[in-house]
Amino acid sequence: MSQQTQDRPHPTAPPPGREVLVGRTGKQHSPRYRWGILGIGIFAQAAFSAAFQGIPTSGSILAAAYGYSLSELGLVLAAVTAGIFVTDVFWGILSDRIGERNVLIIGLAGTTATLAYVTAFLVPSDDVAPAAWALAVVLFLSGALGGCVNGASGRAVMGWFPPDKRGFAISLRVAAVPLGGALGAAIMPPLALGAGFRWVFLFLTAFMLAATIAVVLWLDEPPIARTKAAGGIAATTLPNPLVRWDIWRVAITAFLLDLPQFTVLTFGTVFLTTALDLDITAVVIALVVVQVLGGASRVLSGRWTDKKGGRYRRTLVRVYSWLIAAAFAGVALYQVAPAWLVVGLFVAAGFLACGWHGVHYAEIATMAGAERSGTALGLENTMVFGGAFVTPLLIPIVLDASSWPVVMLLVGALPAVASALLMPREQPV
């Protein structure tokens, strides 16, 4: 072979100086591919969020259409969140074992199937309405399967993005939660009123099917190093996050910080209408502002910590914690403070209680390592949805025994406890 032939570049080799990303399948991708992965993660998260956040926005319409009592409606609305709470850690562990692509395909396809079943068999007709328990069981399965997106899509982002860009990337992915919820809230109530719930669930089915197809066609797993256990099953070399107290301590702070968030999201309408006597239009505007500013603060926080360094993630979450506590303390003074000030503080408490997620997720995933990030994110989401599940159960109990000022002070105290648990690490990452 001549020297000229030996010096000729391999036809599949990248041009000199050009960065190439190689997935676990061996396929080569341009640096822009990581943003495509992020887009898939955002799309999948938004599709699932449209279901678990959008269905409650149609709650009163659903109760009327199906003929459900308030207790039956509560059972149905709690079903999706309960499914997520039960299975999120399982999906995170499975992502670390068999890869996020396989997990997303299984979970999203299963969610698509459950929503299709509701569309076909569990919508009311002129003759009969499905039993609440039947709809709740299928929606529970939908949440249990769809919960895969929380950890697996975050793990994919962790694997493809370098450490100095993970905070921003994870924050964008987490911002898809309010994005999907806002989309569901905008589309589903008018669709339910105008066309009926068969079209509502058909919309959710199509949205989830599109996310599943995107994963199948375009998601390549990141080249995260893994060792092999017996039988060729993937094993990891890093410690299991579930046996690390430092990981649990951070995850517990997610639970504590989520109660203020869901106090605003689930009881905001009740508080603003009964305690402040606001009309429903003003209440809707206030809650929309909470969602929009909450999503924006997630993204900006991730961007800022990437520029400043990962060591600032915990510091920023602690700042969020104390600002949330101060805002709730101000809201507790609603009986003597001007109404405009109380509404402003309530909106601030709401979007601040939404804004910590992206940075917090990036922190716990980084602590666990990309190889174990699926398990860590699964634990994180279990705590988050645990807070979402517990809040509507606790607030009425406290409110019956006391008053709104006591509720606001107790909820505002929780971020202060979280700040105490979230002390700076000795060796920042």
Side-chain angles (χ1 to χ4, degrees):
M1 182 180 295
S2 66
Q3 182 66 37
Q4 182 179 4
T5 303
Q6 292 177 348
D7 293 340
R8 186 180 301 158
H10 191 275
T12 61
R18 179 181 176 184
E19 182 187 5
V20 173
L21 307 177
V22 181
R24 197 171 297 153
T25 61
K27 293 181 180 178
Q28 295 184 353
H29 308 281
S30 74
R32 291 176 295 180
Y33 179 74
R34 58 170 63 103
W35 295 102
I37 291 294
L38 177 60
I40 293 172
I42 290 174
F43 188 69
Q45 183 73 71
F48 184 56
S49 296
F52 86 80
Q53 288 195 0
I55 292 174
T57 65
S58 306
S60 59
I61 307 171
L62 188 148
Y66 282 76
Y68 290 163
S69 66
L70 285 178
S71 60
E72 288 174 324
L73 177 63
L75 174 67
V76 169
L77 296 184
V80 177
T81 304
I84 303 168
F85 173 69
V86 169
T87 61
D88 243 346
V89 167
F90 164 76
W91 284 122
I93 294 171
L94 200 60
S95 297
D96 290 336
R97 297 288 293 178
I98 68 173
E100 54 272 25
R101 175 183 167 84
N102 292 330
V103 162
L104 286 171
I105 291 174
I106 294 169
L108 295 179
T111 308
T112 303
T114 58
L115 292 172
Y117 184 88
V118 175
T119 304
F121 303 110
L122 293 177
V123 292
S125 65
D126 294 335
D127 301 326
V128 65
W133 67 265
L135 182 58
V137 167
V138 180
L139 290 180
F140 175 87
L141 292 174
S142 182
L145 291 163
C148 71
V149 74
N150 296 321
S153 64
R155 187 181 192 275
V157 171
M158 280 289 297
W160 280 110
F161 279 82
D164 63 338
K165 289 182 171 57
R166 285 175 182 167
F168 180 54
I170 288 287
S171 296
L172 280 172
R173 210 274 303 172
V174 174
V177 175
L179 171 65
L183 187 62
I187 293 175
M188 291 170 61
L191 191 60
L193 287 171
F197 274 91
R198 191 178 303 277
W199 284 94
V200 168
F201 287 106
L202 182 61
F203 159 71
L204 294 175
T205 302
F207 201 172
M208 193 64 64
L209 178 61
T212 307
I213 292 172
V215 171
V216 171
L217 293 180
W218 296 302
L219 193 144
D220 191 6
E221 293 188 356
I224 300 174
R226 294 187 298 178
T227 59
K228 295 289 182 179
I233 300 174
T236 55
T237 57
L238 296 175
N240 187 342
L242 298 181
V243 299
R244 289 176 53 184
W245 166 238
D246 60 335
I247 295 283
W248 273 97
R249 190 170 65 181
V250 173
I252 290 170
T253 66
F255 174 82
L256 295 173
L257 289 169
D258 215 50
L259 268 73
Q261 177 187 355
F262 277 88
T263 297
V264 173
L265 295 181
T266 58
F267 285 91
T269 301
V270 177
F271 172 73
L272 293 174
T273 54
T274 60
L276 296 183
D277 200 27
L278 262 64
D279 62 72
I280 192 64
T281 301
V283 171
V284 169
I285 291 173
L287 294 181
V288 168
V289 171
V290 166
Q291 291 279 31
V292 171
L293 292 181
S297 63
R298 292 182 184 193
V299 175
L300 293 174
S301 297
R303 187 69 168 174
W304 185 82
T305 54
D306 279 348
K307 288 183 177 180
K308 293 293 184 178
R311 65 186 182 277
Y312 288 100
R313 291 192 194 112
R314 293 196 183 198
T315 300
L316 185 59
V317 173
R318 294 177 73 196
V319 170
Y320 268 115
S321 300
W322 286 107
L323 290 175
I324 295 166
F328 271 97
V331 172
L333 301 175
Y334 73 92
Q335 294 169 317
V336 295
W340 63 266
L341 178 60
V342 176
V343 173
L345 288 172
F346 192 76
V347 169
F351 87 78
L352 289 168
C354 292
W356 55 268
H357 282 265
V359 174
H360 203 282
Y361 278 48
E363 172 67 7
I364 199 168
T366 301
M367 289 174 64
E371 190 181 356
R372 287 286 197 176
S373 59
T375 302
L377 290 171
L379 177 61
E380 172 94 350
N381 279 294
T382 295
M383 292 296 179
V384 166
F385 284 99
F389 182 72
V390 167
T391 301
L393 301 178
L394 288 180
I395 298 299
I397 295 173
V398 178
L399 195 57
D400 287 342
S402 56
S403 62
W404 277 116
V406 174
V407 169
M408 295 302 171
L409 288 174
L410 288 177
V411 171
L414 296 175
V417 177
S419 178
L421 286 173
L422 202 65
M423 298 301 293
R425 281 184 281 116
E426 294 181 359
Q427 297 179 342
V429 178

